[in-house]
Amino acid sequence: MPYAFAKNPSVATFESMKYIALLLAIVALTAKPVLAKEKCDVLGSLEADPMAVAEPVDFANIEASALIAACDSVLNSGSKYEDRYILQRARGYLRLGESTKAIAEIERSHKMGYPAATFALATAYFLGDDVAEDHVKAERLFLEAYDKGVVWAARGLASIYSDEFSDLFDESKASAWTLKFNVEMEKD
């Protein structure tokens, strides 16, 4: 009961203190998961992710152990953004050189339908990093990622088509995808 309406001021003060204590308890109980989510995003956000909620972190600047711990924390608490946190945790594993774990996490996030994970998997197949190089699979995944809003997939496609050693080499497609990428980047 607000103190202005109380007949006894000491009862009003007690009621106000109970209300404030309840609010503080709610904030204290809910703050940790919010901070963990933010920390996972802040430590691992990917520039190519159209659904990112934090500034991107350059791969060389990733604090891998802190990123993995922050993402583990939020994933263990349950989240509707599990697919994003799994991808970001994969970046931590990559930074530590744990490529088997990283690829497994990227594939898991991709299977959950996360567009930036599809882009990451396409990149791995294009480069042949930690998986067998497969430009046909990379092309399919880059196209899928692009269709889901990952602008950086256009750059991946341009790279595939401009690779003279690739069976998919095609200068006109390389130029077209380079133009798409540049136009999209100018919008941002």
Side-chain angles (χ1 to χ4, degrees), residues 110-187:
H110 161 68
K111 287 177 183 172
M112 296 171 85
Y114 198 67
T118 303
F119 169 78
L121 192 57
T123 302
Y125 280 113
F126 171 64
L127 298 174
D129 287 346
D130 309 312
V131 295
E133 184 178 286
D134 186 335
H135 287 184
V136 172
K137 193 176 278 189
E139 177 191 38
R140 180 181 54 78
L141 291 167
F142 278 136
L143 287 166
E144 182 181 332
Y146 186 80
D147 288 344
K148 291 181 178 180
V150 182
V151 173
W152 280 82
R155 187 169 186 182
L157 288 160
S159 296
I160 287 176
Y161 299 133
S162 65
D163 182 351
E164 295 175 355
F165 299 105
S166 172
D167 291 340
L168 300 175
F169 176 71
D170 185 324
E171 289 180 7
S172 64
K173 283 184 177 181
S175 294
W177 283 104
T178 298
L179 180 61
K180 283 183 183 187
F181 176 74
N182 292 337
V183 167
E184 290 294 327
M185 294 307 287
E186 287 176 11
K187 290 180 185 177

Side-chain angles (χ1 to χ4, degrees), residues 71-148:
C71 293
D72 282 347
S73 177
V74 72
L75 287 165
N76 289 335
S77 68
S79 171
K80 65 181 182 177
Y81 304 113
E82 182 178 1
D83 48 3
R84 183 173 75 229
Y85 299 127
I86 290 169
L87 175 62
Q88 290 172 169
R89 182 170 61 187
R91 295 190 80 211
Y93 288 132
L94 277 175
R95 186 73 177 108
L96 287 176
E98 296 181 27
S99 59
T100 302
K101 284 183 181 178
I103 293 297
E105 293 284 77
I106 291 168
E107 287 177 338
R108 182 175 167 207
S109 182
H110 161 68
K111 287 177 183 172
M112 296 171 85
Y114 198 67
T118 303
F119 169 78
L121 192 57
T123 302
Y125 280 113
F126 171 64
L127 298 174
D129 287 346
D130 309 312
V131 295
E133 184 178 286
D134 186 335
H135 287 184
V136 172
K137 193 176 278 189
E139 177 191 38
R140 180 181 54 78
L141 291 167
F142 278 136
L143 287 166
E144 182 181 332
Y146 186 80
D147 288 344
K148 291 181 178 180

